Each structure stands twice: as C-alpha cells, then as structure tokens.
Amino acid sequence: YGLEGQLRHAERIAEMSSFPRQDRSQAFGWLCRGRLQAGTVESRECSPEGERYTSRSSKIPMTRKPVSAKMNVAFQRAAVLALLLIAFSACASARQLKIEKFSAEIFVQPDSSLDVTETIEANFIGEWHGMYRTIPVEYVTPQGFNYSLFVKLIGATDAAGQPLKVESSRQGHYLKWKIYIDNAIDVDRTIRLHYQVRNGLKFFEDHDELYWNVTGDEWDVPVSDASAQILLPPGVTGVRTNEFTGGYGSRSQNAEITASDNTVGVSMTRPLSFHEGLTVVVGWDKGFVKEPGTSDLIGQFLESNWPLFLPIIAFFSMFLLWSSRGRDPRVGPIAVQYQPPDGMTPAEAGTL
C-alpha cells in the first residue's frame, strides 16, 4: 500500500511496541530514514540521538511498558503442554494391540444351554499386562422387559493350557472380563475362553433359533479375521442360516456361511473395524432341543427383571412392619358412665 502507508503502519507499531532504551536509536533511525525517503520530514528534524523525530504532522514518542510477566508464564505453560502431548502421542503409537484371529466353537446342548470356546490370537506391541473381553448379555424385548444371557466362565488358558487369571465385572448391558497375561511385551499370544450360557436360545411355534453375537461389538481395535462354528444336536433337520456384520444395528452381510449336517460355519470376508461385530442366526426344526418349562421361564424372567419387583417387596415389608408395630393397641369394650368419677372437681368433670 505504498511507502507512506508503510511508514504510518510503522508509527502505529511503534506506539504499540516496547523497546528498551538502548534500542530506541536504531528504531527511530530506521523511521527517520524512511520519512526522509518519502519527503515528509527534513534531515534537521531528525535528532542525532534518534530518540525522537519531529514530523510535519505529529511527534511520536517511543514509550511503552515491557511485555507482562503473566504473558511469559502463559507461553511457558503452553510449551510444557505441547511437550506433554507429543510425549503421550509417542507412547500411544509405541503401544498397540492387534487381534489377528478370533474363532469360536458353539455347541448347542440338548438341554438348551450353550457351551462356548473362544480362541483369540492377539499381537501385543509394547508392554501389556492383559486384555479385555466384553460380551453383550442384556437385551430389551419388544414389550420393554429385559432379556438376559446367564454366562458362567469355566476357565481361561493360554496356548500351552496354563490357566490365566480373570476378573469379571458388569458394565451396563455387557459382561466384561479382564484377562491377565504375563510378559506380554512385543509378542503374539493365544487366549482360550471356555464358558457356558443359559437362556441363549429362542423358541418359536415352528422352530428353535440361535441368535448369537460371535465377537461382540465393543472391540477398541480391529479384528483381522473372525469366524465361528456352530454344532447342533445330532440328527437335526430344517437348518436355516443368516448372518449380519458391522456396527450395532447394522444389516450388512460380509460373511460366508456353510452348512453340513449338524454343523454350520461362518467366516468374515473382510476385517472387522473399530466397534464392529459378527452375528450369526441359525434355526432348526423343533424337537431336538428341550424347551424350558413354565417354572424355568418364570425363574429366568424374574432373574432378568428383578428390579421391577422391588416396589412389591417394599410394600409387603412395610405392611408387615405396620401390622406388627404400627397399629394402635386393641382395647376392650368401654362402658358408659353417667356419673363423674369420685374425687373430681366440677371443673375437671366439665373438662372431661
């Protein structure tokens, strides 16, 4: 925007900037030379010291306080925070978990229970002390009631059959197992989980059905290869299959299914990404699996929906407490007296 505009801009910067006294001569010498070139000031108007110059339009002193200490502290804190973020990013990139293969064997028992064995091949990069396996165990029926899977862990072992320590906890609708793995530092490990499931089948009028989330959808890391094998009771007929892949509620189908006699196999055609899972649906004719009786269904319903009965339990508890301690004491019949008791004054008798 021209030399004159640059000089005006420099004057405004000079007003807003802070220069130590020893640097003012250089700063104003630069300003004077610019003004002399533009012809807006005469050479005699620039003082030899360079601390001040006189213009035809104005006189601008160079005075301002130094940068505040608070701003220096803010810059230091920002620098420390940036270094911490860089260090954290480096640690995170050096520590990774990869699920190379996830396979499951699901045996449908004649008593309607499930016997499940999962084999997880994991690649630990960096230093690790274990991993998590999260299983969805609680669903909501169309009627709004809870439908729960009752899972019992039989054991966890490594590739050599050595037992592994497992801690179990509930997290919302999920059962979470924390599996401890020693010396998991830049190594490949195989983990086998063996557990049993009750209430894992659905029974309809014309067929029975297994609707099973093989991998779960809570993995924070990709799963390179996922597969499952479902073994039905011997001699089963009318086998029908389906599968779903992807995130929660997805209807995508990216797996291959094979069925032969009483065995159904399903395998992914692509890796599973973050929070994606594999679900398999297998149906068969009725009569090969014992359907739970009425008492069993009531027990499972009460076990899944026990919070609904807390108000009823509280009501009967308070009723029993009121019956035993809250009622007024019972008294016999009271005879009417037409004369005041002996020894009472007229005022007392009137009050009575």
Side-chain angles (χ1 to χ4, degrees):
Y1 41 77
L3 182 60
E4 181 64 25
Q6 294 178 4
L7 293 174
R8 292 178 181 175
H9 181 64
E11 291 176 2
R12 288 195 294 269
I13 292 178
E15 292 179 340
M16 299 173 62
S17 302
S18 64
F19 290 89
R21 186 174 183 84
Q22 60 270 22
D23 295 337
R24 290 179 180 175
S25 297
Q26 297 179 0
F28 278 96
W30 179 81
L31 290 174
C32 282
R33 287 193 297 272
R35 296 292 293 247
L36 286 171
Q37 293 176 5
T40 58
V41 69
E42 298 178 0
S43 58
R44 58 182 175 81
E45 294 176 341
C46 285
S47 60
E49 295 83 3
E51 294 184 358
R52 183 185 301 270
Y53 74 89
T54 304
S55 168
R56 295 174 182 173
S57 57
S58 61
K59 295 181 180 181
I60 303 175
M62 290 296 293
T63 57
R64 191 174 175 263
K65 296 181 179 179
V67 179
S68 64
K70 291 183 178 180
M71 186 172 293
N72 292 332
V73 173
F75 283 134
Q76 293 175 1
R77 291 179 178 176
V80 172
L81 180 60
L83 292 175
L84 290 176
L85 290 176
I86 294 173
F88 178 79
S89 300
C91 293
S93 61
R95 187 173 180 267
Q96 295 180 0
L97 171 63
K98 298 180 180 180
I99 305 300
E100 302 293 347
K101 186 176 182 180
F102 184 105
S103 60
E105 289 185 341
I106 306 164
F107 292 84
V108 179
Q109 305 295 329
D111 62 354
S112 75
S113 65
L114 303 177
D115 189 272
V116 183
T117 301
E118 295 179 355
T119 303
I120 305 172
E121 298 180 8
N123 175 240
F124 296 93
I125 302 175
E127 183 177 359
W128 292 77
H129 301 283
M131 60 180 296
Y132 290 97
R133 171 68 173 106
T134 305
I135 301 176
V137 295
E138 192 169 297
Y139 302 88
V140 179
T141 65
Q143 295 77 22
F145 297 107
N146 288 337
Y147 177 84
S148 300
L149 303 178
F150 305 105
V151 179
K152 179 183 178 182
L153 179 64
I154 304 301
T157 59
D158 58 13
Q162 297 298 319
L164 300 175
K165 179 183 176 182
V166 179
E167 291 182 356
S168 180
S169 63
R170 280 295 297 268
Q171 189 176 32
H173 299 299
Y174 298 91
L175 173 65
K176 193 169 188 178
W177 289 333
K178 183 178 181 180
I179 309 166
Y180 288 87
I181 304 172
D182 295 333
N183 299 322
I185 305 174
D186 296 326
V187 68
D188 293 333
R189 291 295 176 88
T190 299
I191 301 96
R192 289 189 176 92
L193 299 173
H194 182 202
Y195 56 93
Q196 293 178 343
V197 183
R198 292 188 297 111
N199 202 27
L201 300 181
K202 295 182 178 181
F203 299 91
F204 300 93
E205 293 182 359
D206 59 344
H207 71 282
D208 300 334
E209 183 180 278
L210 169 67
Y211 191 101
W212 188 252
N213 191 336
V214 177
T215 60
D217 53 9
E218 288 297 308
W219 285 103
D220 294 331
V221 297
V223 179
S224 300
D225 183 19
S227 62
Q229 188 178 49
I230 299 93
L231 287 90
L232 304 175
V236 68
T237 58
V239 177
R240 62 213 74 172
T241 62
N242 203 352
E243 51 84 17
F244 303 102
T245 58
Y248 179 79
S250 173
R251 308 294 292 182
S252 300
Q253 295 181 319
N254 300 111
E256 294 181 349
I257 295 183
T258 59
S260 175
D261 296 331
N262 66 325
T263 303
V264 176
V266 56
S267 59
M268 288 292 302
T269 58
R270 65 168 179 85
L272 291 172
S273 300
F274 175 79
H275 279 204
E276 286 189 335
L278 167 63
T279 298
V280 61
V281 185
V282 181
W284 58 90
D285 293 338
K286 298 188 72 67
F288 297 93
V289 175
K290 181 183 177 181
E291 188 171 349
T294 304
S295 59
D296 296 330
L297 293 176
I298 294 176
Q300 292 173 357
F301 178 81
L302 294 178
E303 195 171 354
S304 300
N305 298 273
W306 61 267
L308 298 177
F309 300 93
L310 290 178
I312 299 176
I313 297 174
F315 171 78
F316 281 105
S317 300
M318 296 305 297
F319 179 80
L320 292 175
L321 183 62
W322 170 79
S323 298
S324 60
R325 300 184 181 183
R327 286 184 173 182
D328 294 335
R330 296 181 179 180
V331 296
I334 300 176
V336 179
Q337 297 183 12
Y338 298 96
Q339 297 294 330
D342 297 336
M344 295 186 65
T345 63
E348 293 175 340
T351 302
L352 181 62

